[in-house]
Amino acid sequence: MTQARTLDGRAAGARLASFGAVTPGTCLNVVWQAFGSPASTNGSRYGGYQWATDALAAARDAGALVTDSSIEDAPDGAALFWTNVYGTWTRDGRRVYGDAGHIAIKGRGTNVNTIDLPTRGRAGIVTARQFRAAWSHLKFAGWAAGDGAFLGHRVTTAATASKPSPTIATAGDPNMLYFVKSSADKRVYALGLRYARHIKSMTTLTGLKSVLGGVKTLAPARFNDLLTLLDIPRDKLPKGSGAVWNDRK
């Protein structure tokens, strides 16, 4: 069995955008080449990865797929997946009707590094808004990063390249919030002992610096993964204060 490797998502995105002419409709093959043509870690599972929806299923099963997010919130270098690409495609040497899906790589900012946009038959870069406008029938299925994100391999992104090392209080008011600011989307995130909250309306940490003793930065943030990005295991939260983790915004 092939051992899992660590793949640099941001480098793969840059390679993808530079490929030039490609065969239309071969998104998975081109993304695979951009990632360095790694052999999958699970052999013939997932249909041998003939369609982008096969790679999507593998990322989902590995727990690497983020579905409650948007293209804009994905970290640079993450694998991006779409469904609702129905048509007659080649599978197991035959032409069959099905949803082949689409895969691309998140570029800088709101960019999507993909094939067939803005020009069919070429690799290119478009913004998330341009992607949605051009292919409005596609359904964004989520983004994947970390262990198992692509063909069983670990994909590093802007979120995993470097992590802050904040400290969380082990005693005191369980309702106190600890604030971090994303260096990617400039949003402010709050981590509490009882709950976590994404504060979209806040644009500054003025008056909150005393909470952490200084401004902390966090590269891109998925609300559900805030503890992971901060390297704070859930089981390390203070149990004495009745700390829980949930998805309330």
Side-chain angles (χ1 to χ4, degrees):
M1 178 181 293
T2 301
Q3 294 297 311
R5 293 166 46 192
T6 297
L7 310 176
D8 187 331
R10 289 178 293 178
R15 281 193 293 270
L16 171 57
S18 69
F19 277 162
V22 298
T23 302
T26 58
C27 60
L28 180 57
N29 183 265
V30 175
V31 167
W32 173 68
Q33 292 179 60
F35 273 115
S37 308
S40 70
T41 63
N42 36 44
S44 60
R45 290 187 63 194
Y46 303 103
Y49 295 102
Q50 299 175 68
W51 293 352
T53 43
D54 299 327
L56 167 63
R60 181 187 295 116
D61 291 349
L65 187 68
V66 180
T67 58
D68 56 344
S69 187
S70 66
I71 299 172
E72 289 86 348
D73 288 335
D76 299 357
L80 306 175
F81 295 95
W82 289 263
T83 58
N84 204 38
V85 188
Y86 284 94
T88 302
W89 314 100
T90 300
R91 190 171 187 87
D92 297 325
R94 298 181 296 114
R95 298 288 286 176
V96 297
Y97 182 81
D99 182 1
H102 183 70
I103 183 173
I105 299 175
K106 177 68 176 354
R108 293 184 177 181
T110 66
N111 289 341
V112 176
N113 297 2
T114 184
I115 71 165
D116 294 336
L117 283 179
T119 306
R120 178 173 169 79
R122 295 191 65 83
I125 300 174
V126 293
T127 65
R129 179 178 295 182
Q130 290 169 333
F131 188 101
R132 286 188 289 262
W135 289 346
S136 58
H137 62 288
L138 268 62
K139 179 181 178 181
F140 184 58
W143 56 267
D147 293 340
F150 185 70
L151 308 193
H153 299 284
R154 181 174 188 266
V155 174
T156 62
T157 66
T160 54
S162 60
K163 297 182 180 181
S165 301
T167 346
I168 190 166
T170 55
D173 183 1
N175 294 312
M176 181 177 288
L177 294 179
Y178 297 81
F179 293 88
V180 291
K181 186 175 183 180
S182 167
S183 60
D185 59 16
K186 307 306 179 186
R187 292 173 179 170
V188 174
Y189 294 79
L191 175 65
L193 300 190
R194 288 192 184 278
Y195 56 91
R197 179 174 298 161
H198 177 179
I199 308 177
K200 295 182 179 178
S201 61
M202 298 183 67
T203 57
T204 176
L205 292 182
T206 302
L208 300 175
K209 293 185 180 182
S210 60
V211 176
L212 278 176
V215 177
K216 303 294 182 181
T217 59
L218 175 68
R222 173 163 84 98
F223 174 75
N224 289 352
D225 271 354
L226 189 53
L227 284 177
T228 302
L229 292 171
L230 291 174
D231 279 334
I232 302 174
R234 299 185 188 197
D235 60 1
K236 298 301 181 184
L237 287 174
K239 305 239 179 352
S241 60
V244 297
W245 174 261
N246 59 47
D247 296 344
R248 288 186 301 164
K249 292 185 179 180

